[in-house]
Each structure stands twice: as C-alpha cells, then as structure tokens.
C-alpha cells in the first residue's frame, strides 16, 4: 500500500497549515459538538504540544444552506477538546488573517474563517489550477508545511485540500493516517464467512456505486434509508416519491438512476434484502408502521424501516464474518425513528465479526444511544471518502500526499 509522510516526519518548530473537517450539524444556529472534533483534537493537540505554530482551516456547510455559518463556535468547541484556547479570526487570507498567523507563538493555535467563504475554494478543479489561486498563493508563503487531516473531504478537489500540497511540503494528520489505513484495507481484505453490508443514508448513488463495484465481494445487502425506498419502488410498491415541493429526496434520484436500480434489483435479487415495511408518524405524533402492501407515498412520510425489518436483518448480521455499515437506516435523531439504525448498530456491536461503521452522521448514533465505539473494529467519520475507498476510486487529497512523499 502506498504511503505518505505523517506528522512524525515534521521538523521541529514549524509553522503549519492544517486542514480539518469540522463540518457539523447546526441546530437553531448552534453548532453541535460531534465525533469529528474529538478525532481531530488528537492531531491539533499533538502539534501544539510539540511546539509548532498551528493554523487551522475547515469548512462548514455550503453557501445558501442554513448550515453555512462562521467557524467562531468551532474554535470554542475544539478548544475544549484540546484543553487550550484556540484563537479565531473572521478572515481567510486577508490582512487580518496574515497578521494573526505571523503573530503566533510556539504552541499557539489559530482557526481561520470558513474556507467556503472564499470564492477560490469550492469549484471542483484540477490541483494545478487550485495551486495558482489567490487563496493558496497568498497563504502558502507564511508556512513551512501543510498537513491534511480531512480524510472525510479527501474526495473533493477544493483549494484547501488539493492546492497546498503542490506548493508546500505535505503531511498527513492522525485522522487522515488512521482512516486511510483502515478504509483502504477494507477493499482489499478477504473473509472466510458471510460478508454483509448494511446500506442507508440519503444518497442512492452511493449505494448503487457500492453494489456495482462490490457485488461480488458482498453476500448480502440489508437496505434502509432513501435507497431502500427507491428499490421498493422498483419492486412495485407505492413509495419513493417526493411529497413536498421544497424537498427533492426521491424524484430526481429515481429519474437519474431508474434503469440501474431496476437492473440491480433483477440481477442481485438474492443478495438484496428489502424492508418488510416502513415507519411513519401518526396523527398523535407516535410511531406507526405500514407493511409494504400498505405503503402510500401520497399521504405519508416514511422515516424508518419497520420493526419486522429490524428482526429480519438481525440474524443476517449476527451470522456474518464481516459487516460494513454505511448510512443511517432512518431518522435516528428522533428516538421514535431510531429502531432501524440502532438495531443494526447494536447487532454489529454484539457480533464477533470484523466491523466497520462509516459516515459521520451514522457514527454519531453510537454515542447518542449509549454504545461503545470500542465494540467496532473501525468507526469512520468519513462519508463520501469511505464510499470511494470501498469502491477503489481515487481520493485526490490522499493521492497528493502520496505524491509529495515520493
């Protein structure tokens, strides 16, 4: 397996520019602490305690979304995880940012403003193009090294991820190191017994990509989330349609993927386990369920797989030699719709198998419902990058680190 330089290879007393992924849920304007802060704190604390001058970059949300907010709260949350103050400047590469960077003392930590507030950041472009942006060209001369710790964003070709490795010595942080090693091993590992993948989430294309690429390595796909609704639709049930004009969860994904969904369902019907039914909120605000024959997309929003489906998936998981989970099976943030996700995660935790839970949101369910991360071989905070690793696709942010070391 190709390798990159890590922070173990850094010279002493460096001024380092560190890319993290602190993208988090935002509720009523408040940024929520989550596993990403905890994981990245390991890298930041180690760098600060080693006497480096540490400048952090991260993104939050996308322009136009409610989650697109300043990183001032992130500095306070991350500071609590490393037991030291983190300075914040509401600037990315202007004079205020440069003055704050140049004023740092050994062991001090500074967080720059949301990288996506720069026009240079977001368009997906070649690394050579990003390296020439004003963003990269202005910041780079103020640093000795660049550290990428944002494995969960490593599939993106954004300036903060792919531009700096071309103009600065580039290294991997601890999250990048552990996630890459664990997730790359998954795609290449062989197992003696049954291999099961529990797939959910909101992106049907992720599920389809895994099924196409890993169909010969996975014995059983237990399906939940948006993809399960679309496959149920392919099986002839009345579900997988959008009910609200302001939400586009189903219709566009069905339009773009109908042919491949139908083909996969026909070709891999023995591998694919669909829900026995789905859960919704009744008029009293309580959980209620419809069996598949009762599904009514025009009048109900379905938020979880049914209890019968949990019972169906449980023995499949427990009889497996390896289980991979990608994506929530329902809206587990609401306790009444947590049965699918929590049921699957608990079954995995209690099974003596090789287990990987992937995806930032899904991994959050472990702590939320009182489970122990130590019961799993690996808990990944990555979503898209986890899928890329499983399917063998390149991760530009990782490839550039490997190129820099060779």
């Amino acid at each position: 397996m190709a390798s990159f330089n890590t922070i173990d290879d850094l010279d002493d007393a460096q001024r380092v520019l560190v890319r993290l992924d602190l993208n988090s849920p935002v509720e009523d304007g408040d940024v929520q602490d989550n596993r990403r802060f905890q994981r990245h704190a390991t890298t930041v604390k180690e760098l600060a305690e080693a006497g480096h001058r540490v400048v952090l970059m991260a993104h939050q949300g996308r322009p136009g979304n409610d989650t697109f907010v300043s990183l001032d709260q992130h500095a306070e949350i991350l500071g609590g995880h490393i037991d030291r103050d983190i300075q914040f400047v509401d600037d990315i590469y202007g004079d205020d940012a440069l003055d704050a960077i140049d004023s740092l003392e050994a062991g001090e930590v500074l967080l720059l403003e949301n990288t996506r507030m720069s026009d240079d950041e977001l368009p997906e472009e070649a690394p050579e193009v990003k390296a020439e942006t004003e963003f990269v060209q202005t910041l780079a001369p103020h640093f000795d090294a660049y550290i990428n710790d944002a494995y969960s964003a490593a599939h993106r070709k954004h300036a903060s991820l792919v531009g700096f490795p071309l103009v600065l010595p580039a290294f991997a942080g601890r999250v990048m190191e552990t996630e890459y090693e664990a997730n790359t091993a998954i795609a290449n590992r062989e197992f003696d017994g049954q291999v099961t993948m529990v797939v959910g989430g909101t992106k049907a294309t992720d599920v389809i990509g895994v099924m196409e690429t890993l169909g010969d390595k996975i014995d059983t796909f237990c399906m939940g989330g948006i993809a399960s609704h679309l496959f149920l639709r392919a099986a002839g049930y009345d579900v997988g349609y959008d009910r609200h004009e302001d939400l586009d969860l189903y219709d566009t994904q069905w339009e773009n993927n109908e042919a491949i969904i139908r083909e996969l369902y026909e070709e891999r019907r023995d591998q694919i386990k669909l829900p026995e039914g789905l859960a919704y909120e009744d008029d009293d605000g309580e959980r209620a369920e419809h069996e598949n024959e009762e599904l009514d997309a025009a009048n109900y929003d379905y938020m979880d797989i049914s209890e019968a489906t949990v019972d169906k998936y449980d023995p499949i998981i427990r009889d497996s030699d390896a289980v991979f989970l990608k994506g929530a099976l329902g809206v587990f943030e609401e306790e009444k719709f947590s049965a699918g996700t929590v049921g699957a995660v608990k079954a995995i935790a209690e099974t003596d198998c090789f287990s990987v839970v992937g995806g930032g949101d899904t991994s959050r369910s472990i702590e939320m419902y009182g489970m122990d991360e130590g019961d799993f071989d690996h808990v990944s905070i990555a979503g898209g990058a986890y899928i890329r690793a499983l399917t063998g696709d390149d991760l530009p942010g990782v490839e550039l680190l490997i190129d820099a070391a060779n």
Side-chain angles (χ1 to χ4, degrees), residues 298-320:
N299 295 301
Y300 297 93
D301 290 318
Y302 294 106
M303 310 289 277
D304 192 17
I305 60 175
S306 66
E307 295 280 1
T309 308
V310 177
D311 293 340
K312 173 182 176 178
Y313 292 169
D314 186 88
I316 297 173
I317 292 170
R318 294 180 189 274
D319 288 341
S320 299

Side-chain angles (χ1 to χ4, degrees), residues 25-32 66-67 69 73:
V26 178
E27 298 178 6
D28 298 325
D30 294 328
V31 176
Q32 304 300 297
D66 292 341
T67 57
V69 299
Q73 295 180 59

Side-chain angles (χ1 to χ4, degrees), residues 43 64 67 78 84 111 132 135 206 209 249 260 267 335 370 397:
T43 298
T67 57
L78 184 59
R84 65 176 65 205
L111 175 62
E132 293 300 321
F135 176 13
D206 284 352
L249 295 174
I260 187 62
E267 290 184 353
E335 187 172 359

Side-chain angles (χ1 to χ4, degrees), residues 42-57:
T42 301
T43 298
V44 177
K45 187 172 184 178
E46 184 174 342
L47 290 168
E49 290 181 348
H52 300 293
R53 294 167 171 83
V54 184
V55 178
L56 309 176
M57 294 186 297

Side-chain angles (χ1 to χ4, degrees), residues 191 193-200 218-224 271 273 305-329 338-357 362 371 375-377:
F191 301 96
Q194 176 173 282
V195 179
T196 298
M197 188 156 195
V198 183
V199 289
I218 306 294
D219 298 297
T220 305
F221 292 95
C222 294
M223 302 194 67
Q271 291 173 275
K273 304 302 178 185
I305 60 175
S306 66
E307 295 280 1
T309 308
V310 177
D311 293 340
K312 173 182 176 178
Y313 292 169
D314 186 88
I316 297 173
I317 292 170
R318 294 180 189 274
D319 288 341
S320 299
D321 189 38
V323 183
F324 306 108
L325 170 63
K326 171 61 180 78
L329 303 188
S338 66
T341 303
V342 174
V345 174
K346 282 188 174 179
I348 296 169
E350 294 170 0
T351 300
D352 184 16
C353 65
F354 179 80
S355 56
V356 179
V357 176
T362 314
M371 291 175 278
D375 289 333
F376 308 89
D377 287 280

Side-chain angles (χ1 to χ4, degrees), residues 251-268:
D251 293 343
T252 299
Q253 294 200 73
W254 175 257
E255 180 180 340
N256 293 339
N257 299 290
E258 177 183 358
I260 187 62
I261 289 172
R262 291 189 183 280
E263 181 181 335
L264 284 170
Y265 179 65
E266 289 302 319
E267 290 184 353
R268 302 189 180 278

Side-chain angles (χ1 to χ4, degrees), residues 88-403:
F88 172 75
V89 58
D90 59 349
D91 187 19
I92 303 171
Y93 59 88
D95 289 341
D96 289 345
L98 298 181
D99 288 345
I101 291 166
D102 293 340
S103 299
L104 277 183
E105 300 291 338
E108 291 186 335
V109 184
L110 169 71
L111 175 62
L112 304 178
E113 184 56 282
N114 190 340
T115 60
R116 291 184 174 176
M117 292 182 179
S118 165
D119 292 337
D120 289 340
E121 170 73 344
L122 268 182
E124 296 265 355
E125 297 173 306
E128 293 77 13
V129 174
K130 291 303 190 185
E132 293 300 321
T133 59
E134 184 180 4
F135 176 13
V136 173
Q137 290 294 315
T138 303
L139 275 184
H142 294 262
F143 293 93
D144 302 306
Y146 167 78
I147 299 169
N148 192 344
D149 207 32
Y151 178 84
S152 51
H155 56 302
R156 302 294 188 189
K157 293 181 181 177
H158 297 160
S160 63
L161 295 158
V162 300
F164 290 101
L166 296 185
V167 297
L168 285 169
F171 303 82
R174 296 306 184 204
V175 171
M176 175 67 74
E177 185 179 1
T178 57
E179 289 272 6
Y180 175 71
E181 290 176 356
N183 292 335
T184 303
I186 292 166
N188 301 320
R189 186 163 177 167
E190 298 290 335
F191 301 96
D192 295 328
Q194 176 173 282
V195 179
T196 298
M197 188 156 195
V198 183
V199 289
T202 60
K203 296 179 181 177
T205 50
D206 284 352
V207 175
I208 291 167
V210 170
M211 293 175 75
E212 287 185 297
T213 305
L214 296 181
D216 294 333
K217 291 186 176 183
I218 306 294
D219 298 297
T220 305
F221 292 95
C222 294
M223 302 194 67
I226 299 298
S228 71
H229 295 198
L230 298 181
F231 274 80
L232 282 168
R233 179 172 172 178
Y237 297 107
D238 186 17
V239 72
Y241 301 84
D242 287 313
R243 292 186 60 230
H244 307 282
E245 291 183 2
D246 57 338
L247 291 178
D248 186 5
L249 295 174
Y250 301 101
D251 293 343
T252 299
Q253 294 200 73
W254 175 257
E255 180 180 340
N256 293 339
N257 299 290
E258 177 183 358
I260 187 62
I261 289 172
R262 291 189 183 280
E263 181 181 335
L264 284 170
Y265 179 65
E266 289 302 319
E267 290 184 353
R268 302 189 180 278
R269 191 173 295 198
D270 291 342
Q271 291 173 275
I272 296 171
K273 304 302 178 185
L274 294 179
E276 297 291 306
L278 300 172
Y280 63 95
E281 184 177 79
D282 66 16
D283 293 339
D284 296 322
E286 300 297 326
R287 177 187 175 106
E289 299 185 354
H290 280 155
E291 295 181 358
N292 289 345
E293 290 74 14
E294 303 171 303
L295 294 175
D296 178 2
N299 295 301
Y300 297 93
D301 290 318
Y302 294 106
M303 310 289 277
D304 192 17
I305 60 175
S306 66
E307 295 280 1
T309 308
V310 177
D311 293 340
K312 173 182 176 178
Y313 292 169
D314 186 88
I316 297 173
I317 292 170
R318 294 180 189 274
D319 288 341
S320 299
D321 189 38
V323 183
F324 306 108
L325 170 63
K326 171 61 180 78
L329 303 188
V331 186
F332 69 84
E333 292 87 351
E334 294 187 49
E335 187 172 359
K336 61 190 171 190
F337 297 125
S338 66
T341 303
V342 174
V345 174
K346 282 188 174 179
I348 296 169
E350 294 170 0
T351 300
D352 184 16
C353 65
F354 179 80
S355 56
V356 179
V357 176
D361 287 341
T362 314
S363 63
R364 193 157 51 95
S365 67
I366 295 172
E367 182 176 1
M368 182 176 293
Y369 290 96
M371 291 175 278
D372 186 352
E373 189 172 315
D375 289 333
F376 308 89
D377 287 280
H378 182 58
V379 177
S380 175
I381 58 174
Y386 173 58
I387 289 294
R388 292 286 186 96
L390 285 175
T391 57
D393 288 348
D394 289 339
L395 297 170
V398 174
E399 296 302 320
L400 287 165
L401 291 180
I402 293 172
D403 290 346

